[in-house]
Amino acid sequence: NPDVALHPEHLAYIIYTSGSTGKPKGAMNRHGALHNRLVWMREAFPIDSADAVLQKTPFSFDVSVWEFFWPLMYGARLVVANPGDHRDAGRLIGLIRRHNVTLLHFVPSMLRAFMADAEAATCNPLKFIICSGEALQPEMQQAVFERLPAVKLHNLYGPTEAAIDVTHWACRPELSSNIPIGQPISCTQTYILDNDLNPVPSGVAGELYLGGAGLARGYLNRPGLSAERFVADPLGQRGERLYRTGDLARWRRDGQIEYLGRLDHQVKIRGFRIELGEIEAQLLQQPEIREAVVGVHSAGQDARLVAHVALQSGATALDTAALNESLRKTLPDYMLPSLIMVLDHLPLNANGKIDRNRLPAPAFNSADSDAPPQGETEQLLAGIWQEVLGIDRVGRNDHFFKLGGHSLMILQVQQRLQSTHPVSLSLRLLFEHPVLKDMALAVHTELSKSTGKSGALNQMAELLNMLES
């Protein structure tokens, strides 16, 4: 019905983000805020009927909103990927080439997996790659510049509470260890303030506050939390609000904003914003767990969730497999801890709070070092696992995901295998065989099929040559 009466203040959508109390919070975004964001995007990235935008982001992530509606507003084609394609670089490359996709979005961690595929350089239709969701690393920027020189790379920033994105930076080669998030988009204000809500000078870190047309109405049925995060603007007109992002930032000398991390224990894992307290709350719901704390362990380029727990009195062991199955009922996969370490008790500081600095360091090591890999395929896979997982040893009965692996890591396994063996291996095959010896058998079977097909083709070619002669 094209005649539905809409007001800019009407709700357009509600997307839930992680909550520190274990209860997710629904950010209520308005039509006016979304319209402002999409109109700005047309100004920044002019598209028309000659363009195609790839929709691949799950709809629980607000990037999906502009992927769905922006191309339709301006006459571009909308190419919708199949579920799961956003994790498979090979499928994305096929979609880009087959449908002449000119613009798409990547979370930086997935951009890394995409650029690791040798075929990424063949994506000639691409004009724009847009990144957001987590910090964009300089080496990834350089990889795009080198392998896709015709593509323009843009770094965007914004929380769910402010209509997707609020700042923008057109990437360019520069000697810096921190790619900026840029300047505010149209009808949006950004402030970096100290604890007393005073603006900080250039180069000084402070909390990033947002104002203007993009702000959400607040959180659904959470008036107290809305009042805490959406505060009166001390620098604006009466009635205007600012959103407290909880992000640490600073102004550069050239007037661009640098993102410096989180002020609290909210983190980004593979582009998803996570409140560690939400995972802790779900762990404490388990009958065998008395105390729990969750942190992030960085291993090279990767970040993994690690849980430290103490058991109830009388409990002697923890069935981690059963625990993970229970957590899956309330938490998505990206919020499941890669490692759960059981302690007698969690260390406390002088104030009686958990002392995170005294928690033992996690060790993602083989639980089956007495059963080394057997045969060429197992040994090949074990070497790849060690590189991808960043561990020293892998046993043939080890489970990929129990060693800290996740979907993006298994994509790296697929890419490394295909770089050494000319065979098409599906991600599903690797997902369904997470134990090393089982994965090796499945890979060996696929390699044998490929070799068999090649042999049959060679025999057919020889027969044709004989008939021609």
Side-chain angles (χ1 to χ4, degrees):
N1 180 0
D3 297 322
V4 172
L6 283 175
H7 189 279
E9 292 302 313
H10 285 163
L11 289 184
Y13 62 91
I14 300 172
I15 285 184
Y16 281 82
T17 65
S18 180
S20 59
T21 62
K23 182 180 179 182
K25 49 191 186 292
M28 301 185 291
N29 285 278
R30 305 166 296 114
H31 277 274
L34 177 59
H35 182 261
N36 180 73
R37 168 63 175 73
L38 297 181
V39 170
W40 165 82
M41 198 168 188
R42 172 67 187 284
E43 296 170 353
F45 313 102
I47 57 171
D48 54 31
S49 59
D51 291 289
V53 176
L54 182 61
Q55 199 294 312
K56 65 179 181 62
T57 304
F59 64 79
S60 58
F61 190 11
D62 61 357
V63 166
S64 66
V65 179
W66 71 252
E67 285 182 340
F68 279 123
F69 298 112
W70 177 58
L72 300 180
M73 286 175 63
Y74 296 107
R77 287 180 297 117
L78 177 64
V79 179
V80 182
N82 286 317
D85 282 0
H86 65 289
R87 295 191 299 262
D88 191 320
R91 291 185 186 180
L92 292 178
I93 291 167
L95 284 170
I96 292 166
R97 295 192 302 204
R98 187 161 59 252
H99 296 286
N100 291 317
V101 171
T102 56
L103 185 147
L104 80 166
H105 171 272
F106 279 116
V107 171
S109 54
M110 187 59 208
L111 176 63
R112 182 178 300 279
F114 177 80
M115 295 306 300
D117 194 304
E119 294 296 306
T122 67
C123 293
N124 299 319
L126 276 181
K127 297 179 184 177
F128 297 100
I129 291 178
I130 297 173
C131 277
S132 68
E134 57 191 19
L136 177 62
Q137 299 300 321
E139 62 268 23
M140 270 298 91
Q141 173 182 268
Q142 189 59 31
V144 173
F145 288 158
E146 291 177 356
R147 302 187 62 192
L148 294 168
V151 171
K152 295 179 180 178
L153 179 66
H154 293 258
N155 190 32
L156 275 60
Y157 160 88
T160 306
E161 292 85 349
I164 314 172
D165 297 301
V166 291
T167 69
H168 163 255
W169 169 256
C171 294
R172 56 177 182 256
E174 57 176 25
L175 298 175
S176 173
S177 60
N178 195 351
I179 297 174
I181 58 174
Q183 291 186 325
I185 68 171
S186 58
C187 303
T188 300
Q189 292 85 50
T190 53
Y191 304 96
I192 301 177
L193 308 178
D194 62 19
N195 291 335
D196 297 319
L197 300 183
N198 296 312
V200 298
S202 175
V204 175
E207 183 173 1
L208 182 59
Y209 285 72
L210 309 175
L215 294 195
R217 183 184 293 178
Y219 298 114
L220 180 65
N221 298 327
R222 305 285 294 277
L225 185 60
S226 296
E228 177 187 333
R229 305 305 299 180
F230 293 86
V231 300
D233 183 355
L235 308 171
Q237 301 295 319
R238 182 179 179 84
E240 293 181 341
R241 301 177 304 153
L242 294 179
Y243 172 68
R244 297 184 57 185
T245 66
D247 287 327
L248 195 66
R250 67 184 173 200
W251 293 106
R252 299 199 322 182
R253 290 183 179 179
D254 60 0
Q256 307 298 326
I257 300 172
E258 279 189 344
Y259 171 81
L260 301 175
R262 290 293 302 169
L263 285 165
D264 51 21
H265 294 307
Q266 192 181 75
V267 297
K268 282 283 183 74
I269 299 289
R270 286 174 276 157
F272 293 96
R273 189 174 62 171
I274 295 170
E275 289 275 9
L276 298 179
E278 183 175 356
I279 307 172
E280 293 166 359
Q282 296 302 329
L283 282 168
L284 291 171
Q285 293 294 316
Q286 310 305 313
E288 64 269 47
I289 293 178
R290 182 180 80 250
E291 298 175 289
V293 63
V294 179
V296 176
H297 172 72
S298 294
Q301 302 287 350
D302 193 50
R304 309 179 198 176
L305 293 170
V306 176
H308 292 81
V309 302
L311 303 183
Q312 297 285 4
S313 178
T316 57
L318 181 66
D319 186 342
T320 54
L323 175 60
N324 274 316
E325 283 304 310
S326 179
L327 291 175
R328 285 181 191 277
K329 296 175 183 178
T330 54
L331 296 174
D333 283 348
Y334 61 85
M335 292 180 69
L336 294 175
S338 295
L339 179 68
I340 299 174
M341 301 181 68
V342 179
L343 308 177
D344 292 334
H345 60 273
L346 300 187
L348 304 179
N349 61 22
N351 295 325
K353 297 180 179 180
I354 294 173
D355 190 345
R356 293 174 177 264
N357 294 325
R358 291 169 53 203
L359 292 168
F364 294 90
N365 292 322
S366 169
D368 192 32
S369 57
D370 293 333
Q374 299 177 8
E376 183 180 348
T377 308
E378 283 189 19
Q379 291 172 3
L380 171 67
L381 267 175
I384 293 174
W385 280 27
Q386 287 169 210
E387 291 178 14
V388 170
L389 294 168
I391 59 178
D392 297 328
R393 190 164 46 243
V394 172
R396 67 190 310 258
N397 296 312
D398 276 325
H399 191 291
F400 186 79
F401 299 108
K402 291 181 181 178
L403 291 178
H406 54 64
S407 57
L408 286 180
M409 286 183 169
I410 210 162
L411 175 59
Q412 294 176 42
V413 172
Q414 178 203 41
Q415 291 169 341
R416 281 169 167 76
L417 278 170
Q418 293 184 159
S419 69
T420 56
H421 293 77
V423 61
S424 178
L425 295 169
S426 70
L427 275 179
R428 180 181 292 276
L429 178 79
L430 303 184
F431 269 110
E432 291 177 348
H433 300 88
V435 176
L436 182 74
K437 63 182 180 181
D438 298 334
M439 186 182 290
L441 179 60
V443 169
H444 179 76
T445 302
E446 289 300 309
L447 288 172
S448 299
K449 289 179 183 177
S450 176
T451 304
K453 290 177 183 178
S454 298
L457 288 172
N458 290 336
Q459 291 176 16
M460 186 177 295
E462 291 176 5
L463 180 60
L464 287 172
N465 288 334
M466 291 173 61
L467 290 172
E468 288 176 358
S469 61

